[in-house]
Amino acid sequence: MSKRRNLILISTRSAAQLAAGVARELDVPVTEMITRTFADGEIFHAFPRDIAGHDLIIIANTPDDTSHQELIDLIAGARYWNALSVNVVIPYLGYSTMERAKPESGEIPKGITRTRQIFRARPDYVAFLDLHSESVMHAHTGEVRTRHLWTERVAAEKIRQLNVENCVLVSPDYGFSKRVARLAGLLGCPHTAANKDRYDVDQTIVGQLSGAVRGRNAIICDDMIRTGGSMLQTVDRCYQAGAVGVMVMATHLVLAGGARERFVEKGISCIIGADTYPGRENDGLLQIYSVAPVIAEELIRYFRL
């Protein structure tokens, strides 16, 4: 407990609910930052207690530009006020699908450039959950310890709780199939993959699917649902291949641009996902599991609590 007394756990505003779950798992309090917004839109932050000589943990999602800047401010502020160490857990990393630029395109690979901004604020340790690509972890000069946390265990527990019988897991593309295979191994069920090709920013084509789904309940798995385009195409491919029912699952439920409505129109009655993206809670459509145990276990291991 002496080590835990040296911890100070804070969060960005968008990650407050998840940080509370992590705090319960660790049996430490959440220290709420003092914040105010000035008339011109500028944001005031202050640490409500002395952080000098303490190990600071920051739970921070970056779903928008404001949240990204808030995280950088908190890291820089912790350095300014002499925290012993600054340790960051990012459950959802914005721009994570933009980790590379096409040759001669002039586009900015913001997955790399934004993550590099975080590293340049000089945290000691940064952990990410279910990244779209691990390449963003290497956008530093070797001075930051990084960690990629996978959430298959808690995802598998959620699927078991839903009592889905005779299921098969489906990856929308071969690139994600290794992770789907790991989840299928935990559940003791078969898995297969479709063939996806991206031809524009939010546009994909999903090819044919194997007959492994015939007569089974398919659960289509991905790291993220943004607009749901490739997922919805894979739903069609599952039914064409003989699936008797289809559910969808992703860690990060962005669900932008009317995605929820499109899934309902397609006949999907259950979307399984984590609480990594702000504001996602159980309702008639969403079945949410928490990644707080995964984060807490990693912090216990890292700090040797």
Side-chain angles (χ1 to χ4, degrees), residues 129-142:
L129 274 73
D130 286 4
L131 284 170
H132 181 75
S133 169
E134 289 193 336
S135 62
V136 299
M137 296 175 61
H138 308 300
H140 63 88
T141 58

Side-chain angles (χ1 to χ4, degrees), residues 1 4-5 7-10 19-20 22-24 26-32 49 57:
M1 289 302 295
R4 296 198 183 194
R5 281 195 291 270
L7 298 179
I8 296 178
L9 176 64
I10 65 172
V22 174
R24 287 191 294 270
L26 291 176
D27 193 25
V28 299
V30 175
T31 298
E32 294 189 14
R49 55 174 291 190
I57 300 169

Side-chain angles (χ1 to χ4, degrees), residues 125-170:
Y125 166 90
V126 182
F128 305 90
L129 274 73
D130 286 4
L131 284 170
H132 181 75
S133 169
E134 289 193 336
S135 62
V136 299
M137 296 175 61
H138 308 300
H140 63 88
T141 58
E143 298 176 348
V144 180
R145 184 173 178 178
T146 58
R147 177 91 161 146
H148 190 186
L149 307 180
W150 298 99
T151 64
E152 285 95 344
R153 180 179 61 80
V154 287
E157 289 173 2
K158 185 64 176 182
I159 293 173
R160 291 191 194 99
Q161 291 171 9
L162 295 174
N163 296 315
V164 184
E165 297 181 354
N166 194 29
C167 69
V168 56
L169 303 188
V170 178

Side-chain angles (χ1 to χ4, degrees), residues 80-253:
Y80 184 88
W81 290 107
N82 297 322
L84 178 63
S85 67
V86 184
N87 310 279
V88 180
V89 180
I90 305 178
Y92 173 77
L93 178 69
Y95 292 101
S96 61
T97 61
M98 299 172 63
E99 78 280 1
R100 60 181 180 269
K102 298 182 183 67
E104 309 304 325
S105 66
E107 63 184 293
I108 300 171
K110 289 190 177 181
I112 295 293
T113 59
R114 290 294 183 100
T115 310
R116 187 173 291 148
Q117 290 171 11
I118 295 170
F119 291 143
R120 284 176 174 169
R122 298 191 302 118
D124 295 279
Y125 166 90
V126 182
F128 305 90
L129 274 73
D130 286 4
L131 284 170
H132 181 75
S133 169
E134 289 193 336
S135 62
V136 299
M137 296 175 61
H138 308 300
H140 63 88
T141 58
E143 298 176 348
V144 180
R145 184 173 178 178
T146 58
R147 177 91 161 146
H148 190 186
L149 307 180
W150 298 99
T151 64
E152 285 95 344
R153 180 179 61 80
V154 287
E157 289 173 2
K158 185 64 176 182
I159 293 173
R160 291 191 194 99
Q161 291 171 9
L162 295 174
N163 296 315
V164 184
E165 297 181 354
N166 194 29
C167 69
V168 56
L169 303 188
V170 178
S171 172
D173 59 64
Y174 292 112
F176 196 66
S177 60
K178 286 185 178 180
R179 182 175 167 213
V180 173
R182 291 200 300 267
L183 181 57
L186 292 174
L187 292 168
C189 70
H191 62 93
T192 187
N195 184 24
K196 180 174 71 175
D197 182 44
R198 185 175 299 278
Y199 65 90
D200 204 346
V201 175
D202 281 323
Q203 303 294 325
T204 57
I205 297 175
V206 178
Q208 295 300 312
L209 196 61
S210 78
V213 302
R214 185 176 302 279
R216 291 180 176 271
N217 289 301
I219 304 177
I220 305 169
C221 307
D222 211 342
D223 62 319
M224 180 189 307
I225 301 176
R226 180 179 284 131
T227 62
S230 60
M231 278 274 198
L232 290 166
Q233 291 185 57
T234 310
V235 170
D236 290 335
R237 300 295 180 263
C238 286
Y239 281 123
Q240 290 168 5
V244 296
V246 180
M247 306 165 68
V248 299
M249 184 181 95
T251 305
H252 312 299
L253 300 180

